[in-house]
Amino acid sequence: MSVRKSISSAYFSITAVVLVASILAMGFLQMYLSMEYFKTDKEKTLSDIVTIASARTYAAGQTNIHIWQDSDALKSIQSSISLIGQSSGNLVFAANASGKIVLCSEGELCQHHGTIPEKILQQLDTQGSYFETGDLGGLTPHRFYTSARPLYSPDKEIIGYIFASADAAGMGVFVSDMFSSFVLSAGLMLLVASVLSILLTSRLTTPLRRIA
């Protein structure tokens, strides 16, 4: 009887350890891939919004190097980025060539104020685009997904920048929902696997019971 119990206990323990390790590995991989997908999707969406906002800015200012001093152009750009922001559910804002934020889709309620950090402007100048998950060097109250692109004059001189941001808090909700689903699925899998393991162990030790 003791031999049968020791074999049953060892088999069940090994099965449980392998099963738990497999579920945890699968869970971490699923969470990682889901977060990467969410981030990539946000990056593409914000990049598309920046492209549209840039086109509307060019149309309003006709790539005038003094676009930010043109009151009519500013009104037109403000109207365009406000409409884009409302329709997409994201924040859209514009900065001049020195990085100072001059327009925002939220108007006076804008969550972005101040001047874009120099290191971000340098990356925009050299690479032609920018994406981050952060606070723009402290300009935002918390973490945002942000995509940006420079605006150019006909002479290829940078005259400003267009940014689009989405609150990164959505990632927390997404991860929380994924984790809840994973815990529920893992619990059900462990329950079913435990029952099957007990039944299988019982069948495997039947010959030992007969010998005993």
Side-chain angles (χ1 to χ4, degrees), residues 61-177:
Q62 299 179 354
T63 64
N64 184 352
I65 192 172
H66 302 296
I67 184 175
W68 310 116
Q69 286 77 47
D70 187 329
S71 59
D72 292 333
L74 288 177
K75 289 180 181 179
S76 179
I77 297 170
Q78 177 66 64
S79 177
S80 295
I81 65 174
S82 294
L83 180 60
I84 294 171
Q86 291 173 6
S87 60
S88 66
N90 297 290
L91 303 178
V92 183
F93 55 100
N96 60 23
S98 62
K100 179 177 174 58
I101 298 174
V102 292
L103 292 174
C104 181
S105 58
E106 293 184 303
E108 296 180 354
L109 300 177
C110 185
Q111 301 184 50
H112 300 72
H113 301 281
T115 302
I116 305 297
E118 185 63 28
K119 63 178 181 180
I120 296 178
L121 297 181
Q122 289 177 355
Q123 183 172 333
L124 279 163
D125 295 347
T126 56
Q127 300 183 11
S129 63
Y130 180 78
F131 180 79
E132 75 160 30
T133 304
D135 60 2
L136 279 179
L139 289 180
T140 60
H142 50 270
R143 289 167 63 84
F144 278 77
Y145 296 106
T146 302
S147 179
R149 185 176 301 173
L151 296 170
Y152 297 95
S153 70
D155 298 327
K156 302 301 180 181
E157 180 181 352
I158 293 178
I159 59 175
Y161 306 89
I162 293 293
F163 293 78
S165 294
D167 198 328
M171 170 65 85
V173 176
F174 178 76
V175 171
S176 177
D177 291 342

Side-chain angles (χ1 to χ4, degrees), residues 34-43 131 133 145 171:
S34 298
M35 290 172 67
E36 285 298 308
Y37 171 80
F38 189 88
K39 180 179 177 181
T40 301
D41 181 66
K42 282 294 183 182
E43 182 175 1
F131 180 79
T133 304
Y145 296 106
M171 170 65 85

Side-chain angles (χ1 to χ4, degrees), residues 42-62:
K42 282 294 183 182
E43 182 175 1
K44 183 180 183 306
T45 299
L46 292 174
S47 178
D48 291 342
I49 292 173
V50 168
T51 298
I52 296 172
S54 297
R56 296 304 305 161
T57 302
Y58 282 133
Q62 299 179 354

Side-chain angles (χ1 to χ4, degrees), residues 7-55:
I7 292 176
S8 300
S9 177
Y11 181 82
F12 180 78
S13 298
I14 293 173
T15 302
V17 169
V18 172
L19 184 62
V20 170
S22 299
I23 290 176
L24 288 176
M26 181 184 68
F28 282 121
L29 180 61
Q30 181 182 10
M31 293 288 285
Y32 173 77
L33 293 176
S34 298
M35 290 172 67
E36 285 298 308
Y37 171 80
F38 189 88
K39 180 179 177 181
T40 301
D41 181 66
K42 282 294 183 182
E43 182 175 1
K44 183 180 183 306
T45 299
L46 292 174
S47 178
D48 291 342
I49 292 173
V50 168
T51 298
I52 296 172
S54 297

